[in-house]
Amino acid sequence: MKECLKQNINPSSSDAPQSIAEAQKKFFSVYNGRLSSIDERQRAALAENILLVATGGKTKPSFSIIDKGEGQSPKRIPETILSLTKNNKIKIPFVQGKFGMGGSGVLRFCSPENSVLLVISKRNHEIDIKIDEKIHGKDETRDLWGVTVVRREDPKGGEKSSHYTYLAPKGEILSFSADELPLLPGPYPKILHASLKSGTFIKIYEYEIGSGLRSFIGFDLYYRLALLMPDVALPVRITERRKYKAHSHDKTLAGLSVRLDEDKSENLEPEFQTPSTGEMTVEGQKLDYSIYVFKKGKKENYAKSEGVVFSINGQTHGFLPKEF
């Protein structure tokens, strides 16, 4: 989105890329829209734009998601990150997250005792104000940082369920002016060290990620995320800042497809070093498919109980069990 807007292209127009692969090629020189077509060094450089940072305790980890993308102004935060079913991206074919729930989907997994979410964002300064005003109208908060906290409220006064509120005194997101904020991690074990000039910082506290994924972020969680985003649009830097001994505390997440492509000689059957691909039609719905055939005992390195993975725009939306 940021790169599209920097070129003064309306993301929902016909001039914009019509697929993620086209956007990868146009904006990031990713040949044929496959991250496996660029080398590890290039992927690592791209991954500096999106970070997932693990902090806090080993049994109750907190996670920060840092995105050096377009960022949102204080005025726009309620319409984007905090919105529900707004469908902001429904007409933009080259992005993930079409259902307007991404900013709120994590809330039910935040610890009941500390069910809060911190959001800090600032509009990218390289985006021309004219394209912003053409799409969204005038915005007097465009050059300010916005900050809010989302919190779960217990039922009271006869209410049957809890609900969520976000901090907005007098109906406005808190805002302030600053050229940059020390929100980026530094070399291990530094957490808030380097400066973020624009973009979005989200922190989820004591996240209930499940006992199997609480360990060192470069192991089980890394593998799970690769399965959930088999064709991730852009690489992500996975960063561990809890007290773990490791050869490296930083890793590049490039999705399941890249892992399979780079490790195919050791894990895939010789006749399937390139997956079998094609198209099928089920009840009038066309589906592209890729079939991977693993050597005996190797599939567990990539998936557990999953046999069929359903994905849209590179993001997993469902599974069929391996018994299928």
Side-chain angles (χ1 to χ4, degrees):
M1 288 287 286
K2 180 184 78 173
E3 296 302 319
C4 186
L5 291 165
K6 279 171 58 178
Q7 295 189 22
N8 291 321
I9 300 172
N10 186 329
S12 59
S13 71
S14 59
D15 295 328
Q18 297 303 298
S19 67
I20 287 179
E22 190 180 328
Q24 288 171 319
K25 186 175 182 180
K26 182 179 180 67
F27 300 138
F28 302 100
S29 300
V30 177
Y31 173 71
N32 74 9
R34 294 185 64 85
L35 292 177
S36 57
S37 66
I38 59 175
D39 62 34
E40 189 174 345
R41 178 183 54 82
Q42 292 172 294
R43 291 197 296 268
L46 280 176
E48 291 298 320
N49 292 300
I50 309 171
L51 294 83
L52 175 65
V53 186
T55 58
K58 292 182 178 180
T59 58
K60 292 186 177 182
S62 296
F63 294 97
S64 299
I65 301 102
I66 307 169
D67 171 20
K68 298 180 186 177
E70 59 173 329
Q72 301 297 334
S73 68
K75 183 179 179 180
R76 290 281 299 157
I77 287 175
E79 302 297 315
T80 53
I81 299 169
L82 300 177
S83 69
L84 295 174
T85 64
K86 283 283 187 178
N87 295 331
N88 292 301
K89 300 177 182 176
I90 200 70
K91 296 181 180 179
I92 303 173
F94 62 92
V95 295
Q96 296 175 328
K98 301 267 190 182
F99 304 107
M101 299 290 282
S104 302
V106 300
L107 290 170
R108 64 184 295 260
F109 299 104
C110 292
S111 169
E113 295 82 18
N114 298 286
S115 191
V116 293
L117 177 77
L118 172 66
V119 178
I120 304 173
S121 192
K122 181 183 180 182
R123 193 68 172 163
N124 183 270
H125 59 279
E126 296 178 291
I127 299 172
D128 194 299
I129 191 171
K130 293 179 181 178
I131 187 76
D132 262 353
E133 289 186 347
K134 183 178 180 180
I135 299 172
H136 304 300
K138 288 190 177 294
D139 185 351
E140 63 281 359
T141 69
R142 187 178 184 272
D143 296 323
L144 300 175
W145 289 92
V147 58
T148 188
V149 173
V150 183
R151 183 177 67 188
R152 185 179 66 83
E153 307 285 356
D154 290 326
K156 53 188 175 184
E159 294 174 342
K160 294 184 178 181
S161 62
S162 60
H163 61 277
Y164 293 93
T165 59
Y166 63 83
L167 179 65
K170 298 181 181 179
E172 295 183 356
I173 297 294
L174 294 170
S175 61
F176 61 93
S177 177
D179 292 334
E180 54 192 38
L181 295 176
L183 296 175
L184 298 174
Y188 181 84
K190 296 178 180 178
I191 299 172
L192 302 174
H193 179 72
S195 294
L196 182 69
K197 295 183 178 180
S198 62
T200 301
F201 175 97
I202 295 177
K203 184 161 186 177
I204 46 181
Y205 295 87
E206 297 190 354
Y207 196 58
E208 298 281 357
I209 200 164
S211 58
L213 301 176
R214 293 174 189 157
S215 60
F216 180 73
I217 196 172
F219 295 152
D220 294 332
L221 181 55
Y222 168 82
Y223 298 135
R224 185 65 181 170
L225 289 173
L227 181 66
L228 290 172
M229 295 185 287
D231 291 296
V232 63
L234 290 171
V236 177
R237 179 181 164 194
I238 304 293
T239 300
E240 179 62 79
R241 289 299 178 266
R242 293 173 293 169
K243 293 181 179 180
Y244 280 105
K245 292 182 179 180
H247 175 68
S248 174
H249 291 83
D250 302 278
K251 202 167 185 176
T252 301
L253 173 71
L256 182 64
S257 295
V258 171
R259 288 189 63 214
L260 286 168
D261 190 67
E262 293 192 333
D263 301 337
K264 57 188 176 185
S265 60
E266 295 181 9
N267 295 284
L268 299 180
E269 289 288 357
E271 296 84 358
F272 285 85
Q273 296 295 294
T274 299
S276 176
T277 61
E279 183 184 88
M280 68 174 78
T281 302
V282 182
E283 296 184 358
Q285 176 70 50
K286 289 186 177 180
L287 301 173
D288 296 321
Y289 66 80
S290 298
I291 300 175
Y292 295 87
V293 181
F294 292 92
K295 294 178 180 178
K296 186 175 182 180
K298 294 294 185 178
K299 177 180 175 290
E300 287 67 26
N301 295 331
Y302 300 89
K304 303 301 182 186
S305 61
E306 301 83 9
V308 180
V309 177
F310 295 98
S311 67
I312 301 174
N313 271 7
Q315 184 175 358
T316 296
H317 285 260
F319 304 101
L320 288 178
K322 61 184 179 182
E323 287 79 10
F324 178 84

